[in-house]
Amino acid sequence: YEALGIASTATTTQIIKAYRKKALTCHPDKVTPELQEAAARMFKIISEAYDILKDDARRADYDR
């Protein structure tokens, strides 16, 4: 939740919006060459968070 900047009570729609917003700011293709390595690490983190939180079963497991 922290990686996407959302509350644990966020809806699926809010999760998708948060992911898209973060992806625009830290996608490796969207930043300067000096920041690409850091952006790639951050993009990987938010992508993993999104993959877990968008799936209801995986999200329930994570919340436990």
Coordinates of all heavy atoms in Angstrom, one line a residue:
Y1 N 0.8 -1.2 0.0 CA 0.0 0.0 0.0 C 0.9 1.3 0.0 O 0.6 2.2 -0.7 CB -0.9 0.0 1.2 CG -1.9 -1.2 1.2 CD1 -1.7 -2.3 2.0 CD2 -3.0 -1.2 0.4 CE1 -2.6 -3.3 2.0 CE2 -3.9 -2.2 0.3 CZ -3.7 -3.3 1.2 OH -4.6 -4.3 1.2
E2 N 1.9 1.2 0.8 CA 2.8 2.4 0.9 C 3.5 2.7 -0.5 O 3.6 3.9 -0.8 CB 3.9 2.1 1.9 CG 4.7 3.3 2.2 CD 5.8 3.0 3.3 OE1 5.5 2.2 4.2 OE2 6.8 3.6 3.3
A3 N 3.9 1.7 -1.2 CA 4.5 1.9 -2.5 C 3.6 2.6 -3.5 O 4.1 3.5 -4.2 CB 5.0 0.6 -3.1
L4 N 2.3 2.4 -3.4 CA 1.4 3.0 -4.3 C 0.8 4.3 -3.7 O 0.1 5.0 -4.3 CB 0.3 2.1 -4.7 CG 0.7 0.9 -5.5 CD1 -0.5 -0.1 -5.8 CD2 1.3 1.3 -6.8
G5 N 1.1 4.5 -2.4 CA 0.5 5.7 -1.7 C -0.9 5.7 -1.5 O -1.6 6.7 -1.6
I6 N -1.5 4.5 -1.1 CA -2.9 4.3 -0.9 C -3.2 3.7 0.5 O -2.3 3.1 1.1 CB -3.5 3.4 -2.0 CG1 -2.8 2.1 -2.1 CG2 -3.5 4.1 -3.3 CD1 -3.5 1.1 -3.0
A7 N -4.4 3.8 0.9 CA -4.8 3.2 2.2 C -5.1 1.7 2.0 O -5.5 1.3 0.8 CB -6.0 3.9 2.7
S8 N -5.1 1.0 3.0 CA -5.4 -0.5 2.9 C -6.9 -0.7 2.6 O -7.3 -1.8 2.2 CB -5.0 -1.2 4.2 OG -5.8 -0.7 5.3
T9 N -7.7 0.3 2.7 CA -9.1 0.2 2.4 C -9.4 0.7 0.9 O -10.6 0.8 0.6 CB -9.9 1.1 3.3 OG1 -9.5 2.5 3.3 CG2 -9.8 0.6 4.8
A10 N -8.4 0.9 0.1 CA -8.6 1.4 -1.2 C -9.3 0.4 -2.1 O -9.2 -0.8 -1.9 CB -7.2 1.7 -1.9
T11 N -10.2 0.9 -3.0 CA -10.9 0.1 -3.9 C -10.0 -0.3 -5.1 O -8.9 0.3 -5.2 CB -12.1 0.8 -4.4 OG1 -11.7 1.9 -5.2 CG2 -13.0 1.3 -3.3
T12 N -10.5 -1.3 -5.8 CA -9.7 -1.7 -7.0 C -9.5 -0.5 -8.0 O -8.4 -0.4 -8.5 CB -10.4 -2.8 -7.7 OG1 -10.6 -3.9 -6.8 CG2 -9.6 -3.3 -8.9
T13 N -10.5 0.3 -8.1 CA -10.4 1.5 -9.0 C -9.3 2.4 -8.5 O -8.5 3.0 -9.3 CB -11.7 2.2 -9.1 OG1 -12.7 1.3 -9.6 CG2 -11.6 3.4 -10.0
Q14 N -9.2 2.6 -7.2 CA -8.2 3.5 -6.6 C -6.8 2.9 -6.7 O -5.9 3.6 -7.0 CB -8.5 3.8 -5.1 CG -9.8 4.6 -4.9 CD -10.2 4.6 -3.4 OE1 -10.1 3.6 -2.7 NE2 -10.7 5.8 -3.0
I15 N -6.7 1.6 -6.6 CA -5.4 0.9 -6.8 C -4.9 1.1 -8.3 O -3.8 1.4 -8.5 CB -5.6 -0.6 -6.5 CG1 -5.8 -0.7 -5.0 CG2 -4.3 -1.3 -6.9 CD1 -6.2 -2.1 -4.6
I16 N -5.8 0.9 -9.2 CA -5.4 1.1 -10.6 C -5.0 2.5 -10.9 O -4.0 2.8 -11.5 CB -6.6 0.7 -11.5 CG1 -6.9 -0.8 -11.4 CG2 -6.3 1.1 -13.0 CD1 -8.2 -1.3 -12.1
K17 N -5.8 3.5 -10.4 CA -5.4 4.9 -10.6 C -4.1 5.3 -10.0 O -3.2 6.0 -10.6 CB -6.5 5.8 -10.0 CG -7.7 5.9 -10.9 CD -8.7 6.9 -10.3 CE -10.0 7.0 -11.1 NZ -10.9 7.9 -10.6
A18 N -3.8 4.8 -8.8 CA -2.6 5.0 -8.1 C -1.4 4.4 -8.8 O -0.4 5.1 -9.0 CB -2.6 4.5 -6.6
Y19 N -1.6 3.2 -9.3 CA -0.5 2.6 -10.1 C -0.2 3.3 -11.3 O 1.0 3.6 -11.6 CB -0.9 1.1 -10.4 CG 0.0 0.5 -11.4 CD1 1.3 0.1 -11.0 CD2 -0.3 0.3 -12.7 CE1 2.2 -0.5 -11.9 CE2 0.6 -0.3 -13.6 CZ 1.8 -0.7 -13.2 OH 2.7 -1.2 -14.1
R20 N -1.2 3.7 -12.1 CA -1.0 4.4 -13.3 C -0.3 5.8 -13.1 O 0.6 6.2 -13.8 CB -2.3 4.7 -14.1 CG -2.8 3.4 -14.7 CD -4.1 3.6 -15.4 NE -4.6 2.3 -16.0 CZ -5.8 2.1 -16.4 NH1 -6.7 3.1 -16.4 NH2 -6.1 1.0 -16.9
K21 N -0.7 6.4 -12.0 CA -0.1 7.7 -11.7 C 1.4 7.5 -11.4 O 2.3 8.3 -11.8 CB -0.8 8.4 -10.5 CG -0.3 9.7 -10.2 CD -1.2 10.3 -9.1 CE -0.7 11.7 -8.7 NZ -1.5 12.3 -7.6
K22 N 1.7 6.6 -10.5 CA 3.1 6.3 -10.1 C 3.9 5.8 -11.3 O 5.1 6.2 -11.5 CB 3.2 5.2 -9.0 CG 2.7 5.7 -7.7 CD 3.8 6.3 -6.9 CE 3.3 6.6 -5.5 NZ 4.4 7.2 -4.7
A23 N 3.3 5.0 -12.2 CA 4.0 4.4 -13.3 C 4.5 5.5 -14.3 O 5.5 5.5 -14.9 CB 3.2 3.4 -14.1
L24 N 3.7 6.6 -14.4 CA 4.0 7.7 -15.3 C 5.2 8.4 -14.8 O 6.0 9.0 -15.6 CB 2.8 8.6 -15.4 CG 1.7 8.2 -16.3 CD1 0.5 9.2 -16.3 CD2 2.1 8.0 -17.7
T25 N 5.4 8.5 -13.5 CA 6.5 9.3 -12.9 C 7.8 8.5 -12.8 O 8.8 9.1 -12.7 CB 6.1 9.9 -11.5 OG1 5.8 8.8 -10.6 CG2 4.9 10.8 -11.6
C26 N 7.7 7.2 -12.7 CA 8.9 6.4 -12.5 C 9.2 5.3 -13.5 O 10.1 4.5 -13.3 CB 8.9 5.8 -11.1 SG 7.7 4.5 -10.8
H27 N 8.5 5.4 -14.6 CA 8.8 4.4 -15.7 C 10.2 4.7 -16.2 O 10.5 5.9 -16.5 CB 7.8 4.4 -16.8 CG 7.9 3.3 -17.7 ND1 8.9 3.2 -18.7 CD2 7.3 2.1 -17.8 CE1 8.8 2.1 -19.4 NE2 7.8 1.4 -18.8
P28 N 11.1 3.7 -16.4 CA 12.5 4.0 -16.9 C 12.5 4.7 -18.2 O 13.5 5.5 -18.4 CB 13.1 2.6 -17.0 CG 12.3 1.8 -16.1 CD 10.9 2.3 -16.0
D29 N 11.5 4.6 -19.0 CA 11.5 5.3 -20.3 C 11.1 6.7 -20.2 O 11.2 7.5 -21.2 CB 10.6 4.5 -21.3 CG 11.2 3.2 -21.7 OD1 12.4 2.9 -21.5 OD2 10.4 2.4 -22.2
K30 N 10.6 7.1 -19.1 CA 10.0 8.5 -18.9 C 11.0 9.4 -18.1 O 10.6 10.5 -17.9 CB 8.7 8.4 -18.2 CG 7.6 7.6 -18.8 CD 7.0 8.3 -20.0 CE 5.9 7.5 -20.5 NZ 5.3 8.1 -21.7
V31 N 12.1 8.9 -17.7 CA 13.0 9.7 -16.9 C 14.4 10.0 -17.7 O 14.6 9.3 -18.7 CB 13.3 9.1 -15.5 CG1 12.1 9.0 -14.7 CG2 14.0 7.7 -15.7
T32 N 15.2 10.8 -17.1 CA 16.5 11.1 -17.8 C 17.4 9.9 -17.6 O 17.2 9.1 -16.7 CB 17.1 12.4 -17.1 OG1 17.3 12.1 -15.7 CG2 16.2 13.6 -17.3
P33 N 18.4 9.8 -18.4 CA 19.3 8.7 -18.3 C 19.9 8.5 -17.0 O 20.2 7.4 -16.5 CB 20.3 9.0 -19.4 CG 19.6 9.8 -20.4 CD 18.7 10.6 -19.6
E34 N 20.2 9.6 -16.3 CA 20.9 9.5 -15.0 C 19.9 8.8 -13.9 O 20.4 8.2 -13.0 CB 21.2 10.9 -14.4 CG 22.2 11.7 -15.3 CD 21.4 12.4 -16.4 OE1 20.3 12.9 -16.2 OE2 21.9 12.5 -17.5
L35 N 18.7 8.9 -14.1 CA 17.7 8.4 -13.1 C 17.1 7.0 -13.5 O 16.3 6.5 -12.8 CB 16.6 9.4 -12.9 CG 17.0 10.8 -12.4 CD1 15.8 11.7 -12.3 CD2 17.6 10.6 -11.0
Q36 N 17.5 6.5 -14.7 CA 16.9 5.3 -15.2 C 17.1 4.1 -14.2 O 16.1 3.3 -14.0 CB 17.4 4.9 -16.6 CG 16.8 5.8 -17.6 CD 17.2 5.4 -19.0 OE1 18.2 4.8 -19.2 NE2 16.4 5.8 -20.0
E37 N 18.2 3.9 -13.6 CA 18.4 2.8 -12.7 C 17.5 2.9 -11.5 O 16.9 1.9 -11.1 CB 19.9 2.7 -12.3 CG 20.2 1.5 -11.5 CD 21.7 1.4 -11.2 OE1 22.6 1.8 -12.1 OE2 22.0 0.9 -10.1
A38 N 17.5 4.0 -10.9 CA 16.6 4.2 -9.7 C 15.1 4.1 -10.1 O 14.3 3.5 -9.4 CB 16.9 5.6 -9.1
A39 N 14.8 4.6 -11.3 CA 13.4 4.5 -11.7 C 13.0 3.1 -12.0 O 11.9 2.7 -11.7 CB 13.2 5.4 -13.0
A40 N 13.9 2.3 -12.5 CA 13.7 0.9 -12.8 C 13.4 0.1 -11.5 O 12.5 -0.7 -11.5 CB 14.8 0.3 -13.6
R41 N 14.2 0.4 -10.5 CA 14.0 -0.2 -9.2 C 12.6 0.1 -8.6 O 11.9 -0.7 -8.1 CB 15.1 0.1 -8.2 CG 16.4 -0.6 -8.5 CD 17.3 -0.4 -7.3 NE 17.6 1.0 -7.0 CZ 18.6 1.7 -7.5 NH1 19.4 1.2 -8.4 NH2 18.8 3.0 -7.1
M42 N 12.3 1.4 -8.7 CA 11.0 1.9 -8.1 C 9.8 1.3 -9.0 O 8.8 0.9 -8.4 CB 10.9 3.4 -8.1 CG 9.7 3.9 -7.4 SD 9.6 3.4 -5.7 CE 8.1 4.0 -5.2
F43 N 10.0 1.3 -10.3 CA 8.9 0.7 -11.1 C 8.7 -0.7 -10.8 O 7.5 -1.2 -10.8 CB 9.3 0.9 -12.6 CG 8.2 0.6 -13.5 CD1 7.1 1.4 -13.7 CD2 8.2 -0.6 -14.3 CE1 6.1 1.1 -14.5 CE2 7.2 -0.9 -15.1 CZ 6.1 -0.1 -15.3
K44 N 9.7 -1.5 -10.5 CA 9.6 -2.9 -10.2 C 8.8 -3.0 -8.9 O 7.9 -3.9 -8.7 CB 11.0 -3.6 -10.0 CG 10.9 -5.0 -9.7 CD 12.3 -5.6 -9.7 CE 12.1 -7.1 -9.3 NZ 13.4 -7.8 -9.1
I45 N 9.1 -2.2 -7.9 CA 8.4 -2.2 -6.6 C 6.9 -1.9 -6.8 O 6.1 -2.7 -6.3 CB 9.1 -1.2 -5.6 CG1 10.4 -1.7 -5.2 CG2 8.2 -1.0 -4.4 CD1 11.3 -0.7 -4.5
I46 N 6.6 -0.9 -7.5 CA 5.2 -0.6 -7.7 C 4.4 -1.6 -8.5 O 3.3 -1.8 -8.3 CB 4.9 0.9 -8.2 CG1 5.4 1.1 -9.6 CG2 5.5 1.9 -7.2 CD1 5.0 2.3 -10.3
S47 N 5.1 -2.2 -9.5 CA 4.5 -3.2 -10.3 C 4.2 -4.5 -9.5 O 3.1 -5.1 -9.6 CB 5.4 -3.6 -11.5 OG 5.6 -2.5 -12.3
E48 N 5.1 -4.8 -8.6 CA 4.9 -6.0 -7.7 C 3.7 -5.7 -6.8 O 2.9 -6.6 -6.6 CB 6.1 -6.3 -6.9 CG 7.2 -7.0 -7.8 CD 8.5 -7.2 -7.0 OE1 8.6 -6.9 -5.8 OE2 9.5 -7.6 -7.7
A49 N 3.7 -4.5 -6.2 CA 2.6 -4.1 -5.3 C 1.2 -4.2 -6.1 O 0.3 -4.7 -5.6 CB 2.8 -2.7 -4.8
Y50 N 1.2 -3.6 -7.3 CA 0.0 -3.6 -8.1 C -0.4 -5.0 -8.4 O -1.6 -5.3 -8.3 CB 0.3 -2.8 -9.4 CG -0.9 -2.8 -10.3 CD1 -2.1 -2.2 -10.0 CD2 -0.8 -3.5 -11.5 CE1 -3.1 -2.2 -10.9 CE2 -1.9 -3.5 -12.4 CZ -3.0 -2.8 -12.1 OH -4.1 -2.8 -13.0
D51 N 0.5 -5.9 -8.8 CA 0.1 -7.3 -9.1 C -0.5 -8.0 -7.9 O -1.5 -8.8 -8.1 CB 1.4 -8.1 -9.5 CG 1.8 -7.7 -10.9 OD1 1.0 -7.1 -11.7 OD2 3.0 -8.0 -11.3
I52 N -0.1 -7.7 -6.7 CA -0.7 -8.3 -5.5 C -2.0 -7.7 -5.2 O -3.0 -8.4 -5.0 CB 0.3 -8.2 -4.3 CG1 1.5 -9.1 -4.6 CG2 -0.4 -8.6 -3.0 CD1 2.6 -8.8 -3.6
L53 N -2.1 -6.4 -5.2 CA -3.3 -5.7 -4.7 C -4.4 -5.7 -5.7 O -5.6 -5.6 -5.3 CB -2.9 -4.3 -4.4 CG -1.9 -4.1 -3.2 CD1 -1.6 -2.6 -3.0 CD2 -2.4 -4.8 -2.0
K54 N -4.2 -5.9 -7.0 CA -5.3 -5.9 -8.0 C -6.0 -7.2 -8.0 O -7.2 -7.3 -8.4 CB -4.8 -5.6 -9.4 CG -4.0 -6.7 -10.0 CD -3.6 -6.4 -11.4 CE -2.8 -7.6 -11.9 NZ -2.4 -7.4 -13.3
D55 N -5.4 -8.3 -7.4 CA -6.0 -9.6 -7.4 C -6.6 -9.8 -6.0 O -5.9 -9.8 -5.0 CB -4.9 -10.7 -7.7 CG -5.5 -12.1 -7.7 OD1 -6.0 -12.5 -6.6 OD2 -5.4 -12.7 -8.7
D56 N -7.9 -10.0 -5.9 CA -8.6 -10.1 -4.6 C -8.0 -11.2 -3.7 O -7.9 -11.0 -2.5 CB -10.1 -10.3 -4.8 CG -10.8 -9.0 -5.4 OD1 -10.2 -7.9 -5.2 OD2 -11.8 -9.1 -6.0
A57 N -7.8 -12.4 -4.3 CA -7.3 -13.5 -3.5 C -5.8 -13.2 -2.9 O -5.5 -13.4 -1.8 CB -7.3 -14.8 -4.3
R58 N -5.0 -12.7 -3.8 CA -3.6 -12.3 -3.4 C -3.6 -11.2 -2.4 O -2.8 -11.2 -1.5 CB -2.7 -12.0 -4.6 CG -2.5 -13.2 -5.5 CD -1.6 -12.9 -6.6 NE -0.3 -12.6 -6.2 CZ 0.7 -12.1 -7.0 NH1 0.4 -11.8 -8.3 NH2 1.9 -11.8 -6.6
R59 N -4.5 -10.3 -2.6 CA -4.6 -9.1 -1.6 C -5.1 -9.6 -0.3 O -4.5 -9.2 0.8 CB -5.6 -8.1 -2.2 CG -5.7 -6.9 -1.3 CD -6.7 -5.9 -1.9 NE -6.8 -4.7 -1.1 CZ -7.5 -3.6 -1.4 NH1 -8.2 -3.6 -2.5 NH2 -7.6 -2.6 -0.6
A60 N -6.0 -10.5 -0.2 CA -6.5 -11.1 1.1 C -5.3 -11.8 1.8 O -5.2 -11.7 3.0 CB -7.6 -12.0 0.8
D61 N -4.5 -12.6 1.0 CA -3.4 -13.3 1.6 C -2.4 -12.3 2.1 O -1.8 -12.4 3.2 CB -2.7 -14.1 0.5 CG -3.5 -15.4 0.2 OD1 -4.4 -15.8 1.0 OD2 -3.2 -16.0 -0.8
Y62 N -2.1 -11.2 1.4 CA -1.2 -10.2 1.8 C -1.7 -9.5 3.1 O -0.9 -9.2 4.0 CB -1.0 -9.1 0.7 CG -0.1 -8.0 1.1 CD1 1.3 -8.1 1.1 CD2 -0.6 -6.8 1.5 CE1 2.1 -7.1 1.5 CE2 0.2 -5.7 1.9 CZ 1.6 -5.9 1.9 OH 2.4 -4.9 2.3
D63 N -3.0 -9.2 3.1 CA -3.5 -8.5 4.3 C -3.4 -9.4 5.6 O -3.3 -8.8 6.7 CB -4.9 -8.1 4.0 CG -5.0 -6.9 3.1 OD1 -4.0 -6.2 2.9 OD2 -6.1 -6.7 2.5
R64 N -3.5 -10.7 5.4 CA -3.3 -11.6 6.6 C -1.9 -11.6 7.0 O -1.4 -11.6 8.0 CB -3.7 -13.0 6.2 CG -5.2 -13.2 6.3 CD -5.7 -14.6 6.2 NE -6.5 -14.6 5.0 CZ -6.4 -15.3 3.9 NH1 -5.3 -16.2 3.8 NH2 -7.2 -15.3 2.9

